[in-house]
Amino acid sequence: MIIESPIEKNLSSSMRISITTSLASALHSSAKTTRSLSRPKTLIPFSLSTMAAATATETPAPGAPAAPAANAATAAGREAFRQSVVNTLERRLFYIPSFKIYRGVAGLYDYGPPGCAVKSNVLSFWRQHFVLEEGMLEVDCPCVTPEVVLKASGHVDKFTDLMVKDEKTGTCYRADHLLKDFCKDKLDKEPNLAPEKVAELNHVIATLDDMSAEQLGAKIKEYGITAPETKNQLSDPYPFNLMFQTSIGPTGLSTGYMRPETAQGIFVNFKDLYYYNGNKLPFAAAQIGQAFRNEISPRQGLLRVREFTLAEIEHFVDPEDKSHPKFSDVADLKFLMFPREEQLTGKSSTTLRLGDAVANGTINNETLGYFIGRVYLFLTRLGIEKDRLRFRQHLPNEMAHYAADCWDAEIECSYGWIECVGIADRSAYDLKAHTEKSGVALVAAEKFAEPREVEKLVITPSKKDLGLAFKGNQKMVLEALEAMSEAEALEMKSKLESNGEAEFQVCTLNKTVTITNKMVSINKEKKKEHQRVFTPSVIEPSFGIGRIIYCLYEHCFYTRAGKTEDEQLNVFGFPPLVAPIKCTVFPLVKNEQFDTVARAISKELTASGISHIIDVTGTSIGKRYARTDEIGVPLAVTVDSTTTVTIRERDSKSQVRVKIAEVASTVKRLVEGQSTWGDIQWDYPAAHGSPEEENNPEENA
């Protein structure tokens, strides 16, 4: 649909209680992953991880038989949980549909204040973890990209999805999504399907990426799939390019596109970045920026949108040496991996040691393995649960023909396993493609200790004759001649020797020119070489920031009992690293002395660079705690005297008593990860009676 429907209202308390009750035995047998600010198991009556641990099974591997049917209560519970998360996120303004007063546009979202803060914290940690710790070169390139760049990369011709239209209303749908949804719906809701039919539907899901437009259309007709809303007939599938097209300049003659990825800006700047790095390999360039894809039918909230933030790394390496000097730092990591052999034989993901996966060839090389390990550490430190994170290797039908190996970091959420990071060894494809199209050699060199004698094809353009013939275009023709492959040069040499001239396509001029034998000489010569010139390979980790953030929201969300039996309180259990606000400051009651102390503490927190909010209203302390728990604030400072205060930890609700002068330094230790809550509890006395304070604040005042 083109227009999204208005956001649904919050789930009623009774609905949450019903779900909680039906899953109670399962939920109390599961526990969340321990974090530095711990969350006691008894305080998690309802979260997706506990539901998943009790009721979910591994997603079947492509081609493997599916379970007879998903439990309806489990499916309803996941949907209810998701809606509770989304409603909370939108009500507390983490994000909302863009242009909401005009009914919104599918696939476009605005981040509100807490959402912006979470995103900023995630990106800040990404820079720390990758750019700073790995010594990467960060760049920032334009979103508008000339057509010639994306022509060279293949996006103009191949960046397409197959689309079908409702023949009466014109509403568009992705053909593969309709077919996949139909097959999954059958498998989930019809437990008595024949084994042959189950195998057939799983085979269709597994081979969707291999299907041509004709094959997709045939399956849609065979299964009688119609438009979801109207049940009207659908058109035959046809390709739709996902890039937003525009024109550069007022004439409309220069075609451009909103970039579908940030990587191309790095590739076209390789020559300058290589020089900046002292002409040394390996090195990595990184970029954070907006990307745009005109999705046919956006859905699943932040998981499939038309404008989104990418954080991409291009690590350039010698194709003959893909070892990594720091691989030993991550070699002993153990986590869920899903190699292609296990997928093809119907097995499940399994915990493997990273060093072993590289040593036995499951992962192609050390550099690729190193970045897989670094991605794992990044995601788990953000707050993604280890048992709901896996690295899945691309199947042969998913791999680009030039790629050496590709893995996806997939995170499980209420929508299933979602690809959030792609880590690919793209070989030398990108630099070679831009070299061929631009005529500029995007290459590196290895200097030899001693010269080596080799027979080599030497291309020697005549600048004088090229200048006379092409004047202002001389440089572009010369660079194109020097960038010719050996096969192209030998073909030109043959034509020059037989005809005295040859036609030559200069991509940067977008035309064919005539080259005579006076303009260039092409000969094989024995030469002593002092260096080896080669096109580097590229290892590319690409992060979908919006997807990571949404999965983080689900992994951190839970509810717990309020003061009454029917009341459920929402909590986002963000680690301090990503929490939108690190601390709150509350006077226990409306009191001028307490207000003065609270403002003094606020000033100290600001000076220490700690984001916080101060609330000097007369609202009960329990309500103020609940409001800030719901946006994931990990710590609360309660001013109940003029000499000491209490610091409350969000998940356990336990409190310690701290001198006013030590509040800012204590909070800083916690939010920067220098100390855990356990350390703080060891250092400071407990503030007794804190649970009663939350439930009966006036009594304690």
Side-chain angles (χ1 to χ4, degrees):
M1 293 293 289
I2 301 303
I3 302 296
E4 283 192 323
S5 59
I7 306 306
E8 293 183 24
K9 301 294 183 185
N10 282 332
L11 290 176
S12 65
S13 296
S14 60
M15 185 173 185
R16 291 199 201 120
I17 296 295
S18 172
I19 295 165
T20 306
T21 303
S22 65
L23 294 169
S25 61
L27 300 178
H28 287 291
S29 67
S30 307
K32 293 279 280 182
T33 302
T34 302
R35 297 197 177 102
S36 60
L37 293 184
S38 60
R39 181 188 309 163
K41 180 172 65 175
T42 55
L43 296 179
I44 317 175
F46 181 47
S47 71
L48 184 60
S49 67
T50 51
M51 184 191 305
T55 59
T57 58
E58 182 82 50
T59 300
N71 184 283
T74 303
R78 282 176 172 264
E79 174 62 31
F81 171 81
R82 181 193 310 139
Q83 199 59 55
S84 185
V85 173
V86 170
N87 287 338
T88 304
L89 290 169
E90 294 184 351
R91 178 167 48 79
R92 297 310 304 266
L93 217 60
F94 280 83
Y95 71 89
I96 54 174
S98 300
F99 319 112
K100 188 176 178 181
I101 63 172
Y102 292 101
R103 298 181 62 208
V105 178
L108 297 177
Y109 290 91
D110 296 336
Y111 285 83
C116 282
V118 170
K119 182 179 178 181
S120 176
N121 292 338
V122 169
L123 291 177
S124 178
F125 181 55
W126 189 89
R127 278 195 172 94
Q128 171 68 39
H129 188 77
F130 291 106
V131 179
L132 296 182
E133 291 186 22
E134 303 296 337
M136 296 177 178
L137 310 179
E138 186 171 1
V139 300
D140 187 0
C141 305
C143 293
V144 178
T145 307
E147 183 178 43
V148 65
V149 174
L150 296 167
K151 188 78 173 174
S153 67
H155 286 85
V156 171
D157 297 324
K158 298 178 181 177
F159 196 64
T160 60
D161 280 335
L162 290 172
M163 182 169 75
V164 291
K165 276 187 179 182
D166 183 316
E167 291 191 337
K168 291 185 178 179
T169 68
T171 303
C172 299
Y173 305 93
R174 263 186 67 169
D176 60 334
H177 282 179
L178 289 182
L179 183 54
K180 185 177 184 179
D181 290 347
F182 173 85
C183 294
K184 284 191 169 183
D185 198 52
K186 281 277 186 185
L187 292 168
D188 287 347
K189 295 181 179 178
E190 298 187 21
N192 299 320
L193 283 174
E196 297 80 10
K197 193 65 176 178
V198 170
E200 176 193 330
L201 295 173
N202 275 299
H203 178 72
V204 169
I205 293 172
T207 57
L208 270 176
D209 288 338
D210 279 342
M211 287 188 181
S212 65
E214 292 74 19
Q215 290 170 323
L216 266 175
K219 281 293 178 187
I220 287 172
K221 287 180 180 176
E222 178 186 342
Y223 293 150
I225 299 173
T226 56
E229 287 83 12
T230 64
K231 307 305 178 188
N232 294 331
Q233 292 298 307
L234 297 167
S235 69
D236 291 331
Y238 61 95
F240 172 76
N241 194 293
L242 299 178
M243 292 193 294
F244 287 96
Q245 186 173 339
T246 186
S247 59
I248 302 172
T251 65
L253 299 177
S254 179
T255 301
Y257 295 90
M258 303 302 290
R259 64 184 179 190
E261 62 182 23
T262 66
Q264 301 307 317
I266 297 175
F267 295 139
V268 299
N269 283 313
F270 170 80
K271 187 175 181 179
D272 292 324
L273 291 168
Y274 180 58
Y275 175 77
Y276 181 88
N277 198 54
N279 295 326
K280 294 176 183 177
L281 282 184
F283 77 90
Q287 181 169 194
I288 297 170
Q290 296 302 98
F292 307 82
R293 298 181 185 178
N294 196 10
E295 294 286 351
I296 294 168
S297 49
R299 54 184 184 173
Q300 299 179 335
L302 292 181
L303 299 182
R304 188 169 294 279
V305 293
R306 288 176 167 141
E307 180 180 350
F308 51 95
T309 302
L310 283 179
E312 295 191 296
I313 297 165
E314 309 301 331
H315 182 90
F316 299 100
V317 63
D318 187 334
E320 295 182 7
D321 181 13
K322 294 182 181 178
S323 61
H324 198 287
K326 293 166 65 178
F327 180 70
S328 59
D329 293 351
V330 298
D332 289 329
L333 291 174
K334 294 179 181 180
F335 47 83
L336 283 175
M337 296 188 202
F338 206 4
R340 66 171 62 96
E341 289 75 16
E342 276 66 17
Q343 297 174 60
L344 293 170
T345 55
K347 297 178 182 177
S348 299
S349 57
T350 185
T351 300
L352 298 175
R353 179 179 172 273
L354 182 56
D356 295 337
V358 172
N360 64 29
T362 300
I363 296 173
N364 185 270
N365 58 76
E366 276 192 5
T367 298
L368 184 64
Y370 177 74
F371 278 106
I372 288 174
R374 291 290 289 166
V375 170
Y376 170 80
L377 292 173
F378 170 74
L379 293 174
T380 52
R381 287 172 184 172
L382 280 182
I384 297 299
E385 296 173 2
K386 295 179 181 181
D387 58 348
R388 297 170 65 199
L389 168 65
R390 72 181 183 189
F391 288 80
R392 187 184 69 82
Q393 190 174 28
H394 281 202
L395 295 171
N397 65 340
E398 298 175 275
M399 293 267 287
H401 66 278
Y402 52 78
D405 196 8
C406 299
W407 292 73
D408 288 338
E410 296 183 335
I411 303 173
E412 187 187 28
C413 68
S414 62
Y415 290 105
W417 289 97
I418 302 298
E419 172 200 344
C420 293
V421 186
I423 310 107
D425 182 338
R426 297 175 59 86
S427 299
Y429 171 79
D430 301 283
L431 294 182
K432 284 182 175 178
H434 286 298
T435 294
E436 182 180 342
K437 190 73 171 174
S438 69
V440 178
L442 303 177
V443 295
E446 175 196 8
K447 296 190 182 298
F448 300 141
E450 295 291 334
R452 300 177 186 177
E453 187 172 89
V454 295
E455 187 176 69
K456 191 170 183 182
L457 195 70
V458 179
I459 302 169
T460 310
S462 169
K463 293 184 179 179
K464 177 182 176 182
D465 290 299
L466 290 172
L468 289 171
F470 301 109
K471 297 182 173 57
N473 293 327
Q474 178 218 41
K475 184 180 178 182
M476 285 185 278
V477 177
L478 185 145
E479 289 176 340
L481 287 169
E482 290 179 334
M484 282 191 295
S485 66
E486 183 169 339
E488 290 173 322
L490 288 173
E491 183 182 357
M492 178 178 284
K493 176 179 172 65
S494 175
K495 289 180 179 178
L496 291 174
E497 289 174 349
S498 59
N499 303 326
E501 63 181 33
E503 298 298 301
F504 180 55
Q505 176 72 28
V506 181
C507 294
T508 50
L509 293 176
N510 198 27
K511 67 178 183 178
T512 300
V513 300
T514 301
I515 302 295
T516 68
N517 50 19
K518 287 184 178 181
M519 297 177 187
V520 64
S521 66
I522 303 171
N523 299 294
K524 280 195 171 183
E525 299 177 5
K526 284 190 176 180
K527 295 184 66 176
K528 283 192 175 181
E529 286 196 337
H530 296 267
Q531 62 182 9
R532 173 177 71 95
V533 178
F534 59 91
T535 304
S537 287
V538 177
I539 311 295
E540 179 191 70
S542 177
F543 299 73
I545 298 301
R547 290 186 171 198
I548 292 170
I549 289 172
Y550 178 76
C551 291
L552 182 66
Y553 288 151
E554 283 206 6
H555 283 213
C556 291
F557 182 83
Y558 66 100
T559 64
R560 60 185 171 201
K563 288 188 289 186
T564 65
E565 187 177 329
D566 291 340
E567 184 181 20
Q568 291 287 296
L569 302 176
N570 299 327
V571 182
F572 277 109
F574 298 123
L577 178 70
V578 296
I581 297 164
K582 310 303 183 187
C583 177
T584 54
V585 182
F586 299 141
L588 180 61
V589 293
K590 189 69 177 171
N591 175 298
E592 185 58 37
Q593 285 185 310
F594 290 178
D595 288 357
T596 301
V597 171
R599 291 190 180 96
I601 291 172
S602 174
K603 189 174 181 180
E604 288 295 316
L605 291 171
T606 300
S608 299
I610 298 168
S611 63
H612 64 283
I613 53 178
I614 181 170
D615 186 346
V616 295
T617 64
T619 309
S620 75
I621 195 69
K623 288 182 179 179
R624 282 182 279 175
Y625 284 153
R627 281 203 303 258
T628 55
D629 288 349
E630 195 174 46
I631 60 171
V633 181
L635 300 166
V637 176
T638 304
V639 180
D640 58 359
S641 84
T642 57
T643 56
T644 64
V645 298
T646 64
I647 299 179
R648 170 191 182 266
E649 192 272 321
R650 175 196 58 219
D651 296 316
S652 65
K653 299 197 289 186
S654 59
Q655 300 186 27
V656 295
R657 186 160 291 281
V658 178
K659 291 179 181 178
I660 289 172
E662 298 177 23
V663 171
S665 60
T666 302
V667 172
K668 191 176 179 68
R669 284 165 54 197
L670 281 164
V671 301
E672 292 185 352
Q674 299 167 11
S675 300
T676 66
W677 182 247
D679 297 330
I680 300 302
Q681 288 178 304
W682 182 265
D683 293 342
Y684 295 101
H688 298 291
S690 54
E692 288 74 22
E693 182 177 285
E694 289 203 23
N695 289 326
N696 299 286
E698 290 80 8
E699 205 173 284
N700 285 275

